[in-house]
């Protein structure tokens, strides 16, 4: 047979090994799949031949071609692209990736995602490995076709921290979505703080869960005590966060000091004395802004008002 003669005559040169030349010969010449696979087995590594056996449900010629093509480059990104663009099934791609390209942490994640669809796992890994920054990595999880449980496993695998694990344990799959949105908000154009606070308020979490999420990202010494002091007056965490946003932006000008502006803002809300004084203390000022006798005894802010999404139009952040 002419092929056997030609293939057997391939030798190394000064610039190419015999195996490299054989690989290119098999790739460049049309041969039946089983012939190509058998020829490749003659010089493939033990790991590759074991992988070919594991992929017995795939077309053997396709398997051989993909493995040879992947050997043509040392770059993982290029190898992954070759694999993703191949005609192997989702299961075949995932098995090949797991055996040849996956890091130890990726292998652990693939094991945790064993209940997910193979194509969904491969697409996620492909997007994750292409991600160049925290925003793209968070987006890779959000936009993946993994189930909620899969996204949870992926998030914890990539961003695992004790506080976040505890938060997810308490709040469930909604917590993962909220954490992802908060990470995406870090890359928002313009006012990042506003985007981050809005992500918390628009998370769909209950108030206690929102507070827990806020504390993970922004909580410092005494922050929980300040939140509790404001909420004990009947104001909500939404009120607290909106006023905190206001405080981060207010500045003195030629006509008023920052303290005077804060006082004017609080008085404009029409709150009772206890609530006004709580916001005054939250702003870091001592003494009472209002006495009980001066209380306006304003009705509590209504729930629909507190659910408006944009911070700058919520009651306590109104311009």
């Amino acid at each position: 047979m002419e092929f056997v003669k030609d293939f057997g005559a391939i030798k190394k040169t000064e610039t190419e090994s015999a195996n490299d030349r054989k690989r290119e010969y098999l790739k460049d010449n049309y041969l039946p799949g089983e012939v190509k696979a058998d020829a490749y087995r003659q010089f493939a590594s033990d790991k590759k031949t074991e992988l070919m056996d594991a992929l017995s449900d795939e077309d053997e010629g396709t398997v051989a071609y993909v493995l040879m093509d992947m050997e043509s480059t040392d770059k993982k990104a290029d190898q992954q692209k070759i694999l993703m663009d191949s005609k192997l099934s989702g299961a075949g791609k995932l098995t090949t990736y797991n055996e040849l390209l996956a890091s130890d942490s990726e292998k652990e994640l693939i094991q945790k995602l064993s209940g997910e669809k193979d194509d969904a796992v491969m697409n996620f890994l492909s997007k994750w490995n292409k991600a160049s920054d925290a925003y793209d990595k968070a987006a890779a999880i959000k936009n993946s076709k993994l189930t909620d449980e899969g996204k949870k496993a992926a998030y914890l695998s990539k961003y695992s921290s004790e506080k976040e694990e505890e938060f997810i344990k308490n709040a469930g799959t909604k917590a993962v979505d909220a954490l992802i949105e908060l990470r995406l908000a870090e890359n928002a154009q313009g006012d990042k703080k506003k985007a981050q606070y809005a992500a918390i308020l628009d998370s769909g979490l209950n108030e206690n869960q929102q507070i827990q999420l806020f504390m993970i990202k922004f909580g410092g010494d005494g922050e929980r005590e300040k939140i509790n002091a404001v909420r004990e007056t009947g104001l909500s965490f939404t009120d607290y966060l909106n006023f905190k946003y206001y405080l981060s932006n207010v500045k003195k000008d030629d006509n008023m000091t920052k303290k005077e502006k804060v006082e004017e803002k609080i008085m404009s809300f029409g709150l009772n004395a206890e609530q006004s004084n709580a916001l005054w203390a939250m702003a870091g000022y001592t003494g009472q802004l209002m006495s009980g006798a001066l209380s306006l005894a304003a009705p509590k802010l209504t729930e629909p008002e507190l659910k408006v999404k944009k911070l700058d139009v919520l009651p306590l952040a109104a311009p």
Side-chain angles (χ1 to χ4, degrees):
M1 185 178 178
E2 186 175 348
F3 161 71
V4 175
K5 182 179 178 181
D6 291 345
F7 189 71
I10 295 176
K11 306 296 182 183
K12 71 178 182 179
T13 66
E14 292 183 359
T15 58
E16 290 183 292
S17 69
N19 285 349
D20 286 343
R21 296 189 66 209
K22 288 178 180 180
R23 186 185 307 114
E24 293 307 312
Y25 179 89
L26 292 176
K27 287 172 60 181
D28 293 343
N29 287 274
Y30 174 77
L31 296 165
E34 63 272 14
V35 174
K36 186 174 291 188
D38 287 342
Y40 176 62
R41 283 177 180 272
Q42 294 178 28
F43 62 91
S45 66
D46 290 342
K47 187 172 186 177
K48 298 288 179 59
T49 55
E50 289 174 3
L51 177 57
M52 292 175 74
D53 291 337
L55 297 175
S56 58
D57 289 339
E58 305 285 333
D59 177 79
E60 56 185 340
T62 300
V63 173
Y65 188 91
V66 170
L67 295 179
M68 288 189 289
D69 207 14
M70 290 175 67
E71 289 174 5
S72 66
T73 177
D74 293 328
K75 295 181 179 180
K76 180 178 177 179
D78 293 339
Q79 292 174 328
Q80 187 168 355
K81 185 178 188 308
I82 290 169
L83 182 58
M84 289 297 296
D85 292 343
S86 75
K87 295 182 179 180
L88 295 178
S89 67
K93 291 176 182 177
L94 186 57
T95 299
T96 303
Y97 184 89
N98 196 36
E99 291 298 320
L100 301 182
L101 301 178
S103 63
D104 289 342
S105 62
E106 286 178 322
K107 288 181 179 181
E108 290 179 9
L109 175 58
I110 290 171
Q111 179 62 35
K112 292 176 181 177
L113 297 177
S114 59
E116 301 289 316
K117 292 182 178 180
D118 297 320
D119 284 329
V121 177
M122 277 304 303
N123 286 331
F124 162 67
L125 290 172
S126 178
K127 291 177 180 178
W128 177 270
N129 288 330
K130 290 178 183 177
S132 59
D133 54 34
Y135 176 87
D136 288 338
K137 289 182 182 297
I141 299 176
K142 177 184 177 181
N143 297 328
S144 74
K145 295 183 179 179
L146 299 174
T147 64
D148 287 343
E149 284 301 315
K151 289 180 180 179
K152 174 181 174 181
Y155 186 90
L156 287 176
S157 173
K158 301 301 182 180
Y159 296 112
S160 181
S161 73
E162 186 175 342
K163 287 183 178 180
E164 291 185 342
E165 286 184 21
E166 183 65 22
F167 175 52
I168 291 173
K169 180 180 178 182
N170 293 337
T173 54
K174 275 188 177 182
V176 177
D177 292 336
L179 286 165
I180 290 173
E181 291 297 338
L182 192 54
R183 288 185 179 275
L184 293 175
E186 291 176 7
N187 202 54
Q189 297 296 317
D191 193 337
K192 293 184 180 181
K193 183 64 67 65
K194 178 179 177 180
Q196 289 172 314
Y197 285 4
I200 294 173
L201 296 181
D202 197 31
S203 63
L205 299 169
N206 65 39
E207 187 167 73
N208 287 329
Q209 292 166 344
Q210 288 179 4
I211 294 172
Q212 190 176 3
L213 177 60
F214 172 82
M215 292 298 296
I216 289 173
K217 182 65 181 176
F218 301 104
D221 292 341
E223 194 75 41
R224 173 73 75 168
E225 288 74 14
K226 291 180 182 178
I227 294 172
N228 290 342
V230 169
R231 293 178 74 209
E232 285 172 359
T233 69
L235 296 176
S236 69
F237 176 65
T238 300
D239 295 324
Y240 176 89
L241 201 55
N242 278 278
F243 192 61
K244 185 175 180 70
Y245 174 74
Y246 164 77
L247 291 174
S248 69
N249 287 281
V250 63
K251 295 178 175 63
K252 70 177 182 179
D253 57 30
D254 293 338
N255 299 316
M256 299 178 71
T257 65
K258 177 179 178 180
K259 183 176 182 180
E260 289 171 337
K261 284 189 173 184
V262 171
E263 179 178 358
E264 182 179 75
K265 174 63 69 173
I266 294 175
M267 295 300 289
S268 74
F269 294 145
L271 303 176
N272 63 40
E274 184 183 18
Q275 292 168 334
S276 297
N277 289 330
L279 295 181
W280 185 245
M282 174 186 164
Y285 300 119
T286 57
Q288 288 195 333
L289 180 63
M290 293 175 61
S291 68
L294 294 176
S295 171
L296 299 179
K300 184 180 177 182
L301 299 174
T302 62
E303 188 67 16
E305 287 178 303
L306 300 183
K307 288 189 175 180
V308 178
K309 295 179 182 179
K310 293 185 179 179
L311 289 166
D312 53 357
V313 297
L314 279 167
L316 295 189

